[in-house]
mmCIF file with all atom_site columns, all heavy atoms in Angstrom:
data_model
loop_
_atom_site.group_PDB
_atom_site.id
_atom_site.type_symbol
_atom_site.label_atom_id
_atom_site.label_alt_id
_atom_site.label_comp_id
_atom_site.label_asym_id
_atom_site.label_entity_id
_atom_site.label_seq_id
_atom_site.pdbx_PDB_ins_code
_atom_site.Cartn_x
_atom_site.Cartn_y
_atom_site.Cartn_z
_atom_site.occupancy
_atom_site.B_iso_or_equiv
_atom_site.pdbx_formal_charge
_atom_site.auth_seq_id
_atom_site.auth_comp_id
_atom_site.auth_asym_id
_atom_site.auth_atom_id
_atom_site.pdbx_PDB_model_num
ATOM 1  N N   . THR A 1 12 ? 25.758 -29.459 3.966  1.00 0.00 ? 12 THR A N   1
ATOM 2  C CA  . THR A 1 12 ? 26.491 -28.502 4.788  1.00 0.00 ? 12 THR A CA  1
ATOM 3  C C   . THR A 1 12 ? 25.592 -27.303 5.056  1.00 0.00 ? 12 THR A C   1
ATOM 4  O O   . THR A 1 12 ? 25.032 -26.755 4.100  1.00 0.00 ? 12 THR A O   1
ATOM 5  C CB  . THR A 1 12 ? 27.736 -27.988 4.020  1.00 0.00 ? 12 THR A CB  1
ATOM 6  O OG1 . THR A 1 12 ? 28.401 -29.113 3.497  1.00 0.00 ? 12 THR A OG1 1
ATOM 7  C CG2 . THR A 1 12 ? 28.654 -27.164 4.892  1.00 0.00 ? 12 THR A CG2 1
ATOM 8  N N   . PRO A 1 13 ? 25.437 -26.892 6.308  1.00 0.00 ? 13 PRO A N   1
ATOM 9  C CA  . PRO A 1 13 ? 24.594 -25.710 6.562  1.00 0.00 ? 13 PRO A CA  1
ATOM 10 C C   . PRO A 1 13 ? 25.129 -24.492 5.812  1.00 0.00 ? 13 PRO A C   1
ATOM 11 O O   . PRO A 1 13 ? 26.327 -24.223 5.837  1.00 0.00 ? 13 PRO A O   1
ATOM 12 C CB  . PRO A 1 13 ? 24.702 -25.509 8.078  1.00 0.00 ? 13 PRO A CB  1
ATOM 13 C CG  . PRO A 1 13 ? 25.177 -26.812 8.610  1.00 0.00 ? 13 PRO A CG  1
ATOM 14 C CD  . PRO A 1 13 ? 26.000 -27.449 7.526  1.00 0.00 ? 13 PRO A CD  1
ATOM 15 N N   . ARG A 1 14 ? 24.241 -23.823 5.119  1.00 0.00 ? 14 ARG A N   1
ATOM 16 C CA  . ARG A 1 14 ? 24.653 -22.648 4.341  1.00 0.00 ? 14 ARG A CA  1
ATOM 17 C C   . ARG A 1 14 ? 23.473 -21.699 4.266  1.00 0.00 ? 14 ARG A C   1
ATOM 18 O O   . ARG A 1 14 ? 22.347 -22.130 4.019  1.00 0.00 ? 14 ARG A O   1
ATOM 19 C CB  . ARG A 1 14 ? 25.065 -23.114 2.943  1.00 0.00 ? 14 ARG A CB  1
ATOM 20 C CG  . ARG A 1 14 ? 25.687 -22.061 2.094  1.00 0.00 ? 14 ARG A CG  1
ATOM 21 C CD  . ARG A 1 14 ? 26.109 -22.619 0.747  1.00 0.00 ? 14 ARG A CD  1
ATOM 22 N NE  . ARG A 1 14 ? 27.406 -23.270 0.750  1.00 0.00 ? 14 ARG A NE  1
ATOM 23 C CZ  . ARG A 1 14 ? 27.749 -24.289 -0.047 1.00 0.00 ? 14 ARG A CZ  1
ATOM 24 N NH1 . ARG A 1 14 ? 26.874 -24.784 -0.900 1.00 0.00 ? 14 ARG A NH1 1
ATOM 25 N NH2 . ARG A 1 14 ? 28.952 -24.804 -0.006 1.00 0.00 ? 14 ARG A NH2 1
ATOM 26 N N   . VAL A 1 15 ? 23.752 -20.417 4.470  1.00 0.00 ? 15 VAL A N   1
ATOM 27 C CA  . VAL A 1 15 ? 22.689 -19.403 4.460  1.00 0.00 ? 15 VAL A CA  1
ATOM 28 C C   . VAL A 1 15 ? 22.700 -18.667 3.121  1.00 0.00 ? 15 VAL A C   1
ATOM 29 O O   . VAL A 1 15 ? 23.762 -18.258 2.646  1.00 0.00 ? 15 VAL A O   1
ATOM 30 C CB  . VAL A 1 15 ? 22.916 -18.370 5.591  1.00 0.00 ? 15 VAL A CB  1
ATOM 31 C CG1 . VAL A 1 15 ? 21.915 -17.239 5.510  1.00 0.00 ? 15 VAL A CG1 1
ATOM 32 C CG2 . VAL A 1 15 ? 22.861 -19.049 6.951  1.00 0.00 ? 15 VAL A CG2 1
ATOM 33 N N   . PHE A 1 16 ? 21.525 -18.493 2.525  1.00 0.00 ? 16 PHE A N   1
ATOM 34 C CA  . PHE A 1 16 ? 21.391 -17.649 1.334  1.00 0.00 ? 16 PHE A CA  1
ATOM 35 C C   . PHE A 1 16 ? 20.190 -16.738 1.514  1.00 0.00 ? 16 PHE A C   1
ATOM 36 O O   . PHE A 1 16 ? 19.147 -17.160 2.025  1.00 0.00 ? 16 PHE A O   1
ATOM 37 C CB  . PHE A 1 16 ? 21.168 -18.486 0.062  1.00 0.00 ? 16 PHE A CB  1
ATOM 38 C CG  . PHE A 1 16 ? 20.992 -17.612 -1.160 1.00 0.00 ? 16 PHE A CG  1
ATOM 39 C CD1 . PHE A 1 16 ? 22.082 -17.264 -1.929 1.00 0.00 ? 16 PHE A CD1 1
ATOM 40 C CD2 . PHE A 1 16 ? 19.746 -17.085 -1.490 1.00 0.00 ? 16 PHE A CD2 1
ATOM 41 C CE1 . PHE A 1 16 ? 21.936 -16.419 -3.028 1.00 0.00 ? 16 PHE A CE1 1
ATOM 42 C CE2 . PHE A 1 16 ? 19.595 -16.236 -2.583 1.00 0.00 ? 16 PHE A CE2 1
ATOM 43 C CZ  . PHE A 1 16 ? 20.689 -15.907 -3.351 1.00 0.00 ? 16 PHE A CZ  1
ATOM 44 N N   . SER A 1 17 ? 20.325 -15.492 1.116  1.00 0.00 ? 17 SER A N   1
ATOM 45 C CA  . SER A 1 17 ? 19.136 -14.650 0.997  1.00 0.00 ? 17 SER A CA  1
ATOM 46 C C   . SER A 1 17 ? 19.400 -13.538 -0.006 1.00 0.00 ? 17 SER A C   1
ATOM 47 O O   . SER A 1 17 ? 20.545 -13.316 -0.424 1.00 0.00 ? 17 SER A O   1
ATOM 48 C CB  . SER A 1 17 ? 18.695 -14.090 2.356  1.00 0.00 ? 17 SER A CB  1
ATOM 49 O OG  . SER A 1 17 ? 17.344 -13.663 2.256  1.00 0.00 ? 17 SER A OG  1
ATOM 50 N N   . GLY A 1 18 ? 18.330 -12.845 -0.385 1.00 0.00 ? 18 GLY A N   1
ATOM 51 C CA  . GLY A 1 18 ? 18.470 -11.794 -1.384 1.00 0.00 ? 18 GLY A CA  1
ATOM 52 C C   . GLY A 1 18 ? 17.451 -10.693 -1.196 1.00 0.00 ? 18 GLY A C   1
ATOM 53 O O   . GLY A 1 18 ? 16.421 -10.878 -0.533 1.00 0.00 ? 18 GLY A O   1
ATOM 54 N N   . ILE A 1 19 ? 17.768 -9.553  -1.777 1.00 0.00 ? 19 ILE A N   1
ATOM 55 C CA  . ILE A 1 19 ? 16.860 -8.401  -1.758 1.00 0.00 ? 19 ILE A CA  1
ATOM 56 C C   . ILE A 1 19 ? 16.826 -7.828  -3.175 1.00 0.00 ? 19 ILE A C   1
ATOM 57 O O   . ILE A 1 19 ? 17.846 -7.800  -3.863 1.00 0.00 ? 19 ILE A O   1
ATOM 58 C CB  . ILE A 1 19 ? 17.342 -7.323  -0.751 1.00 0.00 ? 19 ILE A CB  1
ATOM 59 C CG1 . ILE A 1 19 ? 17.365 -7.905  0.675  1.00 0.00 ? 19 ILE A CG1 1
ATOM 60 C CG2 . ILE A 1 19 ? 16.472 -6.063  -0.811 1.00 0.00 ? 19 ILE A CG2 1
ATOM 61 C CD1 . ILE A 1 19 ? 17.771 -6.919  1.766  1.00 0.00 ? 19 ILE A CD1 1
ATOM 62 N N   . GLN A 1 20 ? 15.665 -7.351  -3.586 1.00 0.00 ? 20 GLN A N   1
ATOM 63 C CA  . GLN A 1 20 ? 15.548 -6.753  -4.926 1.00 0.00 ? 20 GLN A CA  1
ATOM 64 C C   . GLN A 1 20 ? 16.057 -5.313  -4.920 1.00 0.00 ? 20 GLN A C   1
ATOM 65 O O   . GLN A 1 20 ? 15.640 -4.535  -4.059 1.00 0.00 ? 20 GLN A O   1
ATOM 66 C CB  . GLN A 1 20 ? 14.087 -6.684  -5.355 1.00 0.00 ? 20 GLN A CB  1
ATOM 67 C CG  . GLN A 1 20 ? 13.431 -8.013  -5.536 1.00 0.00 ? 20 GLN A CG  1
ATOM 68 C CD  . GLN A 1 20 ? 12.090 -7.849  -6.247 1.00 0.00 ? 20 GLN A CD  1
ATOM 69 O OE1 . GLN A 1 20 ? 12.033 -7.462  -7.410 1.00 0.00 ? 20 GLN A OE1 1
ATOM 70 N NE2 . GLN A 1 20 ? 11.028 -8.135  -5.545 1.00 0.00 ? 20 GLN A NE2 1
ATOM 71 N N   . PRO A 1 21 ? 16.883 -4.955  -5.897 1.00 0.00 ? 21 PRO A N   1
ATOM 72 C CA  . PRO A 1 21 ? 17.294 -3.550  -6.009 1.00 0.00 ? 21 PRO A CA  1
ATOM 73 C C   . PRO A 1 21 ? 16.247 -2.770  -6.818 1.00 0.00 ? 21 PRO A C   1
ATOM 74 O O   . PRO A 1 21 ? 16.562 -2.190  -7.846 1.00 0.00 ? 21 PRO A O   1
ATOM 75 C CB  . PRO A 1 21 ? 18.632 -3.645  -6.753 1.00 0.00 ? 21 PRO A CB  1
ATOM 76 C CG  . PRO A 1 21 ? 18.504 -4.878  -7.588 1.00 0.00 ? 21 PRO A CG  1
ATOM 77 C CD  . PRO A 1 21 ? 17.562 -5.817  -6.876 1.00 0.00 ? 21 PRO A CD  1
ATOM 78 N N   . SER A 1 22 ? 15.026 -2.774  -6.297 1.00 0.00 ? 22 SER A N   1
ATOM 79 C CA  . SER A 1 22 ? 13.950 -2.191  -7.101 1.00 0.00 ? 22 SER A CA  1
ATOM 80 C C   . SER A 1 22 ? 13.446 -0.873  -6.526 1.00 0.00 ? 22 SER A C   1
ATOM 81 O O   . SER A 1 22 ? 12.372 -0.429  -6.852 1.00 0.00 ? 22 SER A O   1
ATOM 82 C CB  . SER A 1 22 ? 12.788 -3.192  -7.198 1.00 0.00 ? 22 SER A CB  1
ATOM 83 O OG  . SER A 1 22 ? 12.421 -3.612  -5.903 1.00 0.00 ? 22 SER A OG  1
ATOM 84 N N   . GLY A 1 23 ? 14.240 -0.275  -5.655 1.00 0.00 ? 23 GLY A N   1
ATOM 85 C CA  . GLY A 1 23 ? 13.822 1.013   -5.077 1.00 0.00 ? 23 GLY A CA  1
ATOM 86 C C   . GLY A 1 23 ? 14.561 1.194   -3.778 1.00 0.00 ? 23 GLY A C   1
ATOM 87 O O   . GLY A 1 23 ? 15.475 0.415   -3.472 1.00 0.00 ? 23 GLY A O   1
#
Side-chain angles (χ1 to χ4, degrees):
T12 312
R14 188 178 276 149
V15 174
F16 178 92
S17 199
I19 298 182
Q20 295 192 66
S22 52

